[in-house]
Amino acid sequence: MAKNLVIVESPAKAKTIEKFLGSDYTVKSCFGHIRDLAKGDEAIDVKNNFTPSYEVSDDKKAIVAELKKLSKEAEIVWLASDEDREGEAISWHLSEVLKLDDAKTRRIVFHEITKPAIVKAIANPRGIDRNLVDAQQARRVLDRLVGFELSPVLWKKVKANLSAGRVQSVAVKLIVDREREINSFNTTSAFRVIARFNVGGKQMDAELAKRFETEAEAQAFLEKCTGAKFNISNLEVKPAEKTPAPPFTTSTLQQEASRKLGYGVSTTMSIAQKLYENGLITYMRTDSVNLSELAIGAAKKHITETFGERYSRPMRYTTKNDSAQEAHEAIRPTYFENVEIDGTNQEKRLYDLIYKRAIASQMAKAQIERTLATVSISGLPETLLATGEVLKFDGFLKVYLESTDEEGDDENSKMLPPLNKGEELLLKNMEASQRYTRPAARYTEASLVKKMEELGIGRPSTYAPTISTIQKRGYVIKEDREGKDRPFVVLTLEKEKINREEKSEKFGSEKSKLFPSDIGMLVTDFLSKHFEQIMDYGFTASVEEEFDKIASGQLVWNKMIEKFYGPFHIGVTKTSETAERQNAERLLGNDPESGLPVYVKVGRFGPFAQIGENSEEGKEKPRYASLRSGQLIETITLVEAMDLFKLPRVIGNFEGKDMKAAIGRFGPYIMHDSKFISIPKTDDVFAITSERAIELIESKRISDANKLIKIFAEDENVKILNGRWGPYISRGKDNFKIPKTQKADELKYSDVLEIIKAEGKSETSSKAANKTAPKKVAVKKTAAKKTAAKKSAAKKAK
């Protein structure tokens, strides 16, 4: 048996580290946290200094048993979990659960999985940092208390099965606030004037500094320019520089991977985790832009050898954020000589991004020559401006240029033709184009991370989980949305004549943007009204700062919780007892035909429109229609709501049966022959034609036929189907893997039963269970409901 046991979080990390250590070391994975707060309301003893109660989850009991056995046999146990607060907590929980002897336990940390880093860590062990553990514990306890106490209030006052969280609710509020800002934005238009000149066979654009509010003003200006002469009245040439961006932190990596690669924040972190565990990059959860002296030296060597001495500019960046956690490095390659790596396409692309950003941060500034040409118009006081730039020395731009979230063209990147002061210019045309103002952009996952970081909400380890959670719980929807057409006017002066043209443009198109759902807005309004402090951005940031103080030993964790919990708990009790139920119902008007009221509401399956009052004896039942994707209760109009009742509509007949278009719980669909066929987002349920519906029906039939490999006469419920990951056996609601040694299309019914039996389920278990299951006996529900509510709240608050 090896003398040393090294425990890390993941098998991949264990495999990489094992390569660097000799036979005296056994490296094992604990697969993340081995225990967590107990379920139910016994997890935190609020009357005893908020003492937490932890329990080992069922899926970790076998792992814990193995690690206990190995730790008893080892002479030294090395706790090598990640170097952040979560990692420190994992090491502490391991020490507690495995009952490790301090004398033979070592805590080691490293920010890259390389042989030099591992050897250095083992040569410099330390004890478990209880301050870091307490900071993690404080976050976990506080978040459990907030979620556990707020969620039942939401069930009672808003809607069943909702949840709230200290950080997630504030993140949703950011998206709700932005949506309302956009919806209330008053769009205006103005005319932008651009003149195009022919200079030595090349086109040069020059823009009028002012914009005209009306078409008449733009028309009048173009008329004044008719027959005018244009000259270069002033020419300014100034040197300028572009500075490289610092190496990646967690948030800037998430932002740039979104802009350049189109990755969501969770995808980015998952790929980065694999790169780190395989020893290819440094630790990926960090808010530091610092690079080690070793890394700076390695970058300088690589830059000098590859590009030349002139391109090297060693630079030490410092983190502006006072709350940056621990002494982490920025995210960088472990070895700068590894320009490319083996791996999946996603891993290669993200590594390339990290590599280029890190190497560019140590390269020289780009040298630019900016030119500003002023063009005078004879007889008029107004002037036109032309700007351009020439790249004199590319520096870091040879490798990398940072993207931005700003929408629009980069006007300053154009090059100007050679110009001379006093030179007369030949006007090709002058265009006055109607342009519209735009509201603030909706958040992408990456720009939401940027905003959260700016406000101090969350930390590197919480950005991705928070954004994932608010989408999973249906408070926020990430999707593309089609734009709408709008007209605009273009006036063009060319060859002494002014031409007017009406054109159309798309506006409001969205790609992978975050939209609040109706229930997300409803919950945000309720929490903002009754728990103003919880929803305050500044307060949420101040809590993060207190966690930082706990981590540095400046604050006692349970004292911090105590200060928060008292007023919070009083607020929860008061709201639960006195607050009115939050109502999303909105009266839009009356149905033009029946005169009945038209409402929009939130129901069990989402928002819907309703004609008529709720059913009363002797009265006609109300009619219902689901709202479409993109429609919100607070912005939908009566006309838009009435359109929903045009569905279901018969759009034609196919094979002797009607085809109906409608909207259901899962979106628009066609119903034909008792079958449902989804309508793609690219089709409009109100405009889809008979021909298109037939095309979708036949396409679905082909897809279903290709999915079915085999069906058995012995039992029609048993099928062999084609799935995303290959063929599998389906029986009722149960699915079974087909061994790789067997061919799906050659399986007999007896073979299928053997496979099912091997997975521990008899071929009649489902039927028998359904037939023999006793009917439920009615019992008093009061106590049961309370218990279930507490358990469910605990689960949702996790």
Side-chain angles (χ1 to χ4, degrees):
M1 186 62 208
K3 295 179 181 179
N4 298 275
L5 173 64
V6 182
I7 305 177
V8 298
E9 292 103 326
S10 74
K13 189 175 175 182
K15 188 177 179 182
T16 305
I17 291 174
E18 205 163 30
K19 293 186 295 186
F20 305 137
L21 301 173
S23 57
D24 283 344
Y25 290 84
T26 296
V27 186
K28 287 290 180 179
S29 168
C30 65
F31 294 85
H33 282 279
I34 59 167
R35 67 177 185 175
D36 196 4
L37 289 172
K39 296 177 181 178
D41 56 359
E42 303 300 321
I44 302 163
D45 187 350
V46 295
K47 295 179 180 179
N48 187 23
N49 287 326
F50 301 92
T51 303
S53 174
Y54 294 102
E55 62 182 19
V56 176
S57 57
D58 290 338
D59 61 331
K60 293 295 177 72
K61 286 179 179 176
I63 296 166
V64 168
E66 181 190 18
L67 293 176
K68 272 186 177 179
K69 179 177 178 295
L70 294 172
S71 63
K72 286 178 181 177
E73 296 170 352
E75 293 180 11
I76 299 178
V77 177
W78 304 83
L79 300 174
S81 50
D82 291 338
E83 61 175 333
D84 58 8
R85 296 170 193 173
E86 288 294 325
E88 205 69 24
I90 287 172
S91 283
W92 178 73
H93 284 297
L94 282 167
S95 178
E96 293 285 305
V97 174
L98 303 182
K99 294 181 170 54
L100 299 180
D101 181 357
D102 289 345
K104 66 174 229 177
T105 304
R106 309 284 188 273
R107 171 76 172 117
I108 56 172
V109 295
F110 38 85
H111 55 262
E112 61 182 53
I113 304 177
T114 59
K115 187 170 183 177
I118 302 301
V119 171
K120 182 180 178 182
I122 286 177
N124 298 277
R126 62 169 173 79
I128 292 172
D129 188 332
R130 279 308 305 266
N131 290 330
L132 297 183
V133 175
D134 286 346
Q136 187 275 344
Q137 186 166 249
R139 178 187 292 278
R140 191 72 189 90
V141 167
L142 184 61
D143 288 349
R144 168 65 74 88
L145 289 170
V146 170
F148 190 78
E149 298 213 0
L150 280 185
S151 296
V153 177
L154 292 178
W155 305 347
K156 184 178 179 181
K157 301 296 182 179
V158 183
K159 185 174 177 282
N161 299 320
L162 297 177
S163 68
R166 185 183 57 83
V167 177
Q168 77 169 52
S169 297
V170 175
V172 174
K173 185 175 186 291
L174 281 169
I175 295 163
V176 169
D177 287 350
R178 178 58 57 87
E179 191 68 19
R180 285 176 171 155
E181 180 186 349
I182 292 168
N183 290 336
S184 63
F185 183 79
N186 184 27
T187 301
T188 59
S189 68
F191 284 78
R192 176 190 185 192
V193 177
I194 295 179
R196 298 179 179 89
F197 299 100
N198 190 334
V199 183
K202 294 183 179 180
Q203 180 175 299
M204 183 188 83
D205 293 353
E207 183 175 349
L208 187 69
K210 67 179 288 187
R211 297 196 179 194
F212 298 107
E213 292 184 6
T214 66
E215 182 181 340
E217 290 175 314
Q219 173 84 17
F221 178 76
L222 294 188
E223 288 173 355
K224 291 176 184 177
C225 291
T226 304
K229 292 185 178 182
F230 302 87
N231 295 83
I232 301 291
S233 59
N234 193 36
L235 203 58
E236 291 181 42
V237 180
K238 294 180 180 179
E241 296 178 329
K242 282 188 177 178
T243 304
F248 284 130
T249 62
T250 300
S251 67
T252 54
L253 174 63
Q254 290 169 342
Q255 292 165 47
E256 196 73 339
S258 173
R259 298 179 193 122
K260 278 186 159 61
L261 308 179
Y263 295 166
V265 294
S266 294
T267 299
T268 297
M269 294 310 292
S270 177
I271 300 167
Q273 179 91 31
K274 291 174 185 174
L275 294 175
Y276 167 68
E277 290 175 349
N278 289 323
L280 298 169
I281 63 169
T282 52
Y283 192 53
M284 66 287 155
R285 280 188 279 273
T286 175
D287 42 16
S288 171
V289 292
N290 177 49
L291 291 179
S292 68
E293 292 297 336
L294 187 66
I296 292 173
K300 180 181 179 180
K301 181 175 182 292
H302 179 76
I303 292 165
T304 303
E305 291 176 353
T306 308
F307 305 109
E309 186 72 38
R310 187 185 178 195
Y311 282 87
S312 175
R313 176 178 167 265
M315 179 72 181
R316 176 174 285 283
Y317 295 89
T318 56
T319 305
K320 295 179 182 178
N321 183 5
D322 293 335
S323 64
Q325 283 187 37
E326 294 87 51
H328 293 170
E329 261 197 273
I331 303 169
R332 62 165 175 83
T334 50
Y335 296 106
F336 281 104
E337 56 265 36
N338 292 339
V339 179
E340 296 179 348
I341 62 163
D342 293 327
T344 65
N345 185 52
Q346 282 189 324
E347 289 167 0
K348 288 178 179 179
R349 293 180 74 199
L350 191 67
Y351 178 85
D352 183 64
L353 190 69
I354 293 168
Y355 180 90
K356 287 179 176 177
R357 174 77 165 229
I359 206 77
S361 75
Q362 299 301 305
M363 293 178 71
K365 297 178 182 178
Q367 303 299 321
I368 296 161
E369 186 178 81
R370 287 206 173 110
T371 302
L372 176 65
T374 304
V375 180
S376 62
I377 309 168
S378 62
L380 292 176
E382 290 90 352
T383 58
L384 303 165
L385 295 176
T387 59
E389 60 183 37
V390 177
L391 187 63
K392 292 294 188 181
F393 172 62
D394 54 2
F396 76 95
L397 293 177
K398 184 177 280 289
V399 173
Y400 181 84
L401 176 62
E402 184 180 27
S403 300
T404 69
D405 291 315
E406 299 301 316
E407 298 175 1
D409 299 325
D410 184 0
E411 298 288 336
N412 293 325
S413 63
K414 296 176 182 178
M415 288 181 62
L416 296 180
L419 298 169
N420 295 302
K421 188 175 180 180
E423 181 180 352
E424 185 173 338
L425 302 176
L426 177 64
L427 180 68
K428 186 179 178 183
N429 62 58
M430 183 180 288
E431 188 177 273
S433 180
Q434 186 179 19
R435 310 314 306 164
Y436 292 89
T437 54
R438 291 185 299 193
R442 288 183 173 89
Y443 289 110
T444 61
E445 287 189 350
S447 62
L448 181 60
V449 167
K450 183 179 180 181
K451 186 65 176 179
M452 290 172 69
E453 186 180 40
E454 287 174 0
L455 294 173
I457 300 169
R459 288 294 180 263
S461 62
T462 64
Y463 298 139
T466 298
I467 292 172
S468 176
T469 296
I470 61 178
Q471 292 179 64
K472 285 178 182 175
R473 291 182 174 165
Y475 294 151
V476 171
I477 302 158
K478 176 184 172 182
E479 64 181 4
D480 302 343
R481 288 192 183 172
E482 288 284 320
K484 297 178 182 178
D485 292 319
R486 70 178 170 198
F488 69 100
V489 174
V490 178
L491 304 174
T492 306
L493 169 62
E494 190 169 11
K495 296 179 181 178
E496 312 301 328
K497 290 184 178 180
I498 299 174
N499 179 55
R500 184 183 188 277
E501 188 177 3
E502 287 190 5
K503 295 185 177 182
S504 179
E505 66 178 1
K506 282 276 185 187
F507 78 100
S509 299
E510 301 287 16
K511 178 75 174 174
S512 296
K513 294 294 180 70
L514 299 176
F515 299 84
S517 66
D518 279 298
I519 199 65
M521 300 179 91
L522 191 62
V523 169
T524 296
D525 289 343
F526 179 82
L527 293 176
S528 297
K529 182 178 180 180
H530 299 287
F531 298 95
E532 188 176 346
Q533 188 182 48
I534 290 289
M535 300 297 282
D536 181 74
Y537 301 137
F539 173 75
T540 306
S542 71
V543 171
E544 296 293 343
E545 290 170 1
E546 290 185 325
F547 290 150
D548 295 335
K549 289 180 180 178
I550 294 168
S552 61
Q554 300 175 53
L555 189 62
V556 178
W557 77 270
N558 43 17
K559 294 296 182 186
M560 174 258 184
I561 301 290
E562 183 180 17
K563 178 184 173 184
F564 165 85
Y565 183 73
F568 169 71
H569 182 67
I570 292 170
V572 168
T573 304
K574 181 182 177 182
T575 302
S576 183
E577 293 174 353
T578 63
E580 293 182 0
R581 186 172 178 82
Q582 187 80 8
N583 191 356
E585 182 178 302
R586 180 170 162 240
L587 175 63
L588 299 180
N590 295 90
D591 174 13
E593 290 186 11
S594 66
L596 293 172
V598 180
Y599 299 95
V600 277
K601 305 178 179 182
V602 172
R604 182 181 174 190
F605 300 119
F608 65 93
Q610 173 182 319
I611 297 178
E613 301 288 356
N614 289 331
S615 294
E616 292 181 15
E617 197 172 333
K619 288 192 175 182
E620 185 181 346
K621 289 184 178 180
R623 289 189 289 149
Y624 306 100
S626 297
L627 267 61
R628 302 179 68 185
S629 173
Q631 291 180 327
L632 290 172
I633 283 178
E634 66 179 53
T635 57
I636 190 172
T637 65
L638 177 62
V639 172
E640 291 168 337
M642 293 310 301
D643 281 343
L644 298 173
F645 291 94
K646 293 177 181 177
L647 302 176
R649 67 184 185 93
V650 176
I651 54 177
N653 190 282
F654 180 50
E655 298 174 343
K657 294 177 181 175
D658 284 342
M659 297 179 290
K660 294 180 181 178
I663 298 176
R665 180 183 175 188
F666 302 108
Y669 65 89
I670 294 164
M671 185 170 69
H672 175 258
D673 192 20
S674 300
K675 294 182 175 64
F676 299 88
I677 298 94
S678 294
I679 297 176
K681 287 185 177 181
T682 50
D683 291 290
D684 186 348
V685 67
F686 290 98
I688 192 166
T689 63
S690 175
E691 292 77 12
R692 175 60 175 154
I694 293 170
E695 184 183 325
L696 291 174
I697 291 167
E698 292 180 333
S699 175
K700 180 73 163 54
R701 288 176 178 176
I702 293 169
S703 174
D704 288 346
N706 290 336
K707 184 178 180 181
L708 181 64
I709 298 174
K710 204 168 190 178
I711 193 167
F712 297 94
E714 293 90 336
D715 186 348
E716 291 184 358
N717 286 322
V718 178
K719 303 171 186 176
I720 300 178
L721 304 174
N722 245 327
R724 185 180 179 187
W725 312 113
Y728 65 96
I729 296 165
S730 171
R731 187 199 60 194
K733 293 182 178 179
D734 295 324
N735 297 327
F736 306 87
K737 288 182 180 179
I738 297 174
K740 292 181 180 179
T741 53
Q742 294 180 282
K743 293 184 178 179
D745 56 352
E746 295 178 1
L747 289 175
K748 298 176 183 177
Y749 184 64
S750 57
D751 298 327
V752 169
L753 295 186
E754 285 297 320
I755 293 171
I756 292 173
K757 187 177 179 181
E759 290 202 26
K761 299 176 183 178
S762 70
E763 70 274 15
T764 59
S765 62
S766 292
K767 292 181 182 177
N770 290 333
K771 288 180 180 178
T772 62
K775 293 182 179 179
K776 292 180 180 178
V777 179
V779 296
K780 290 185 179 179
K781 295 182 179 180
T782 307
K785 276 186 176 180
K786 287 181 180 178
T787 304
K790 287 180 178 179
K791 287 182 178 180
S792 182
K795 184 178 179 182
K796 289 177 177 291
K798 281 176 71 178

